[in-house]
């Protein structure tokens, strides 16, 4: 049975660390369900406008309906469609530990961001939160995070972090934002 889902959009309420991590854990569960359960698809929603603090607006629902229609045509009718959102596959630290390269699957053109100053990522290691000082887009399916200090011990990266993340990278020619992700090991 095909199941089409939508990853949680933004939510504008006063954030707490517990609420932000919980919201991200649900997004990660939605992402993992589409990766591991046959017949489950997930559409991104980070870029869709809201009508209040949590609900996607009518205009956003129109774009969402188009994404879900393409997913249905692929999942139910077997049509070839580029309907999958960019999904992080690997997070690799530079040799000096002061940068991370994220590699995404399901990118047909290149990853970029309409807001080049946006910082939608969070990195954590044994020493706590690691500052992300810059996000660059070298072309193709990669995104590079410059870090404010070298990584220490085990590290994880979150994408589209929090309740209302900054503008997230997208596959620019399809205008398809990445899926949010939580605690991807480096």
């Amino acid at each position: 049975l095909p199941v089409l889902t939508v990853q949680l959009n933004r939510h504008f309420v006063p954030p707490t660390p517990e609420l932000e991590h919980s919201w991200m854990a649900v997004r990660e569960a939605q992402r993992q369900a589409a990766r591991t359960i046959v017949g489950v698809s997930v559409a991104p929603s980070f870029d869709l406008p809201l009508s209040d603090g949590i609900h996607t607006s009518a205009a956003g629902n129109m774009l969402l309906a188009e994404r879900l229609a393409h997913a249905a045509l692929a999942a139910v009718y077997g049509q070839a469609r580029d309907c999958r959102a960019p999904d992080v596959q690997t997070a690799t630290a530079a040799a000096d530990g002061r940068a991370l390269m994220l590699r995404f699957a399901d990118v047909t053109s290149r990853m970029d961001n309409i807001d080049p100053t946006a910082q939608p990522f969070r990195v954590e290691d044994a020493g706590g939160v690691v500052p992300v000082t810059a996000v660059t887009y070298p072309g193709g399916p990669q995104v590079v995070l410059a870090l404010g200090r070298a990584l220490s011990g085990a590290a994880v990266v979150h994408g589209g972090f929090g309740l209302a993340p900054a503008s997230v990278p997208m596959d620019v020619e399809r205008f398809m934002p990445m899926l949010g992700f939580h605690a991807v090991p480096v």
Side-chain angles (χ1 to χ4, degrees), residues 135-160:
V135 180
T136 57
Y137 304 94
Q142 298 90 11
V143 175
V144 177
L145 311 180
L147 305 177
R149 65 172 172 79
L151 293 172
S152 171
V156 296
V157 59
H158 314 283

Side-chain angles (χ1 to χ4, degrees), residues 3-74:
V3 177
L4 307 178
T5 63
V6 178
Q7 199 174 46
L8 289 177
N9 199 337
R10 291 161 290 141
H11 184 28
F12 290 99
V13 295
T16 65
E18 297 81 19
L19 185 57
E20 288 192 314
H21 279 285
S22 296
W23 203 256
M24 289 301 302
V26 172
R27 285 185 185 135
E28 179 64 14
Q30 292 172 309
R31 183 178 86 92
Q32 290 299 330
R35 296 174 95 195
T36 59
I37 302 171
V38 175
V40 175
S41 300
V42 63
S45 63
F46 279 133
D47 61 328
L48 302 178
L50 301 177
S51 60
D52 57 20
I54 192 170
H55 296 99
T56 302
S57 71
N61 281 330
M62 296 297 290
L63 182 54
L64 183 57
E66 183 177 348
R67 288 179 185 162
L68 291 172
H70 286 287
L73 288 171

Side-chain angles (χ1 to χ4, degrees), residues 107-119:
V107 176
T108 61
S109 61
R110 63 183 172 82
M111 295 296 285
D112 208 334
N113 200 322
I114 59 171
D115 179 0
T117 65
Q119 297 275 0

Side-chain angles (χ1 to χ4, degrees), residues 68-108:
L68 291 172
H70 286 287
L73 288 171
V76 178
Y77 298 102
Q79 292 186 13
R81 300 284 172 149
D82 288 329
C83 60
R84 296 174 58 115
D87 187 8
V88 70
Q89 295 300 295
T90 59
T92 307
D96 65 359
R98 296 186 61 87
L100 287 181
M101 170 155 317
L102 306 178
R103 181 172 289 278
F104 290 81
D106 303 313
V107 176
T108 61

